[in-house]
Amino acid sequence: MASARKKAADAMAAIDVVIEVTDARLPEASSNPMIGELRRFRNRPCLKLLNKADLADPAATQAWMDFYNRQPGVKAVAISAKNPSDAARVPALCRQLAPHRDDGTKPLRMMIMGIPNVGKSTLMNALLKRKVAKVGDEPAVTKHQQTLDLGPGMTLTDTPGMMWPKIDYDSDGYMLAASHAIGRNAVIDEEVATFLGGILLERYPALIAARYRIDPAQLDGPALLEAVGRRRGCLVKGGGLDLEKAALILLQDYRDGVLGRISLETPESRARMIAVADAARAEASAGDQASPDDGEE
Ligand code: G4P
């Protein structure tokens, strides 16, 4: 990871605009903080692409765009990289962010960055109108950095998907796993699906009711998994519920977008989550500092 960071830092020195691809359903959780740090250090503008907008809740996506567009040096746009006309807007947007390169002599140098599975390869292929990067729903398919010409006076550098070593908030880990940015073996599907179920029940109960024909009132995450398992006949030998199978059904339905357009976080929900997590940490560390004296006279 240190070498990936070094490569990204070196590459950033030689580009004009960072194209950061995130997942529109979880834009902050799917943003590697290292990308922002490197970019600010080098003072590079950022086109923040909230990709897979076709799967995300449009109201939440709009709230995120307003949130990012207030940040200096950032232009946020919602796209579906699978849609060629969305991808085609990207070079002109980058050009607006680097007007100093628009003198007819200097090429505009763009670099695509982002965590695995947010759609970097899909975007790259759409921009180049040919298949240069392998697209896959398994994390970390692009392995090497490559720079390609993107028509006259424009180059595009592709970087491998980069996760960061320590995810600060547990809920970010669950959101990333639900959206398949963290690999299959790294997490327990049942735990992830229970977390996802909790969000769906809170924010999208009507979509749950419509998809599984169950009454979501009074359910929590674990009870939702059981209800999905019963509805879909997920049974183990002997007749008990196969919750692992129910978890995979819920996760796959979310990943494929068949539940409807869903966002796992909004600027408000994220601010609340951080406030609660930070308060819990502060309390825990106050407890740790108090404990050495416990019992002393
Ligand atoms: P990466 O390079 O960042 O790792 O991501 P990649 O392009 O490989 O895309 C990961 C998955 O996300 C692929 O799904 C891809 O098709 C899908 N994807 C990319 N952009 C969009 C988008 O705007 N909307 C939607 N709905 N999906 C998108 P896959 O299941 O592996 O492939 P496929 O069967 O969809 O082709």
Side-chain angles (χ1 to χ4, degrees):
M1 187 44 61
S3 93
R5 183 193 169 97
K6 169 120 191 22
K7 275 188 195 148
D10 291 347
M12 201 169 289
I15 56 107
D16 305 302
V17 179
V18 173
I19 301 170
E20 187 188 6
V21 185
T22 63
D23 187 323
R25 297 167 296 177
L26 52 150
E28 270 298 279
S30 64
S31 174
N32 183 340
M34 195 191 81
I35 296 173
E37 278 164 32
L38 292 176
R39 170 177 88 61
R40 281 187 291 273
F41 179 69
R42 289 274 176 202
N43 207 12
R44 296 293 189 262
C46 177
L47 179 64
K48 204 157 189 72
L49 295 180
L50 279 62
N51 188 38
K52 309 196 186 185
D54 53 303
L55 301 175
D57 178 339
T61 301
Q62 186 57 53
W64 280 115
M65 287 201 293
D66 295 344
F67 174 86
Y68 289 124
N69 282 324
R70 285 196 291 270
Q71 298 179 355
V74 176
K75 166 94 187 143
V77 179
I79 67 159
S80 295
K82 280 188 165 185
N83 181 347
S85 63
D86 277 11
R89 295 169 58 208
V90 168
L93 290 163
C94 288
R95 212 167 261 299
Q96 284 169 20
L97 283 166
H100 61 290
R101 304 292 295 185
D102 206 6
D103 65 357
T105 57
K106 297 185 194 114
L108 177 69
R109 300 161 303 174
M110 297 163 279
M111 178 158 77
I112 297 184
M113 302 185 86
I115 67 166
N117 207 39
V118 287
K120 297 178 301 303
S121 307
T122 305
L123 176 67
M124 186 92 183
N125 291 340
L127 285 170
L128 289 151
K129 299 190 186 76
R130 64 198 153 94
K131 208 169 165 191
V132 288
K134 189 163 172 260
V135 172
D137 196 30
E138 280 298 324
V141 162
T142 305
K143 299 272 188 246
H144 304 289
Q145 194 168 293
Q146 50 182 341
T147 298
L148 297 146
D149 284 330
L150 182 66
M154 287 188 286
T155 64
L156 189 61
T157 301
D158 182 24
T159 58
M162 279 191 297
M163 283 307 290
W164 59 112
K166 189 177 174 305
I167 294 169
D168 258 351
Y169 300 103
D170 289 348
S171 61
D172 284 354
Y174 285 126
M175 284 188 222
L176 289 166
S179 310
H180 221 176
I182 292 179
R184 248 170 216 153
N185 300 324
V187 281
I188 300 161
D189 287 328
E190 218 177 297
E191 261 180 46
V192 177
T194 303
F195 172 88
L196 174 68
I199 293 185
L200 298 176
L201 288 167
E202 189 188 323
R203 302 198 43 216
Y204 303 101
L207 298 182
I208 289 288
R211 175 74 182 164
Y212 303 112
R213 287 178 289 115
I214 53 183
D215 178 5
Q218 317 299 331
L219 294 183
D220 59 6
L224 174 62
L225 272 200
E226 287 175 20
V228 170
R230 270 194 298 276
R231 173 60 73 189
R232 292 295 168 89
C234 305
L235 300 175
V236 287
K237 261 192 191 152
L241 277 177
D242 186 344
L243 292 177
E244 190 67 20
K245 200 166 168 191
L248 287 173
I249 289 174
L250 187 65
L251 287 171
Q252 203 56 50
D253 281 355
Y254 160 73
R255 287 170 185 158
D256 292 344
V258 295
L259 294 171
R261 297 179 69 173
I262 284 165
S263 292
L264 299 186
E265 58 174 0
T266 64
E268 291 73 29
S269 75
R270 185 159 189 92
R272 269 199 312 277
M273 179 279 285
I274 290 175
V276 170
D278 288 355
R281 276 178 202 176
E283 205 173 301
S285 91
D288 286 349
Q289 279 165 17
S291 58
D293 295 336
D294 283 351
E296 281 185 23
E297 292 300 320

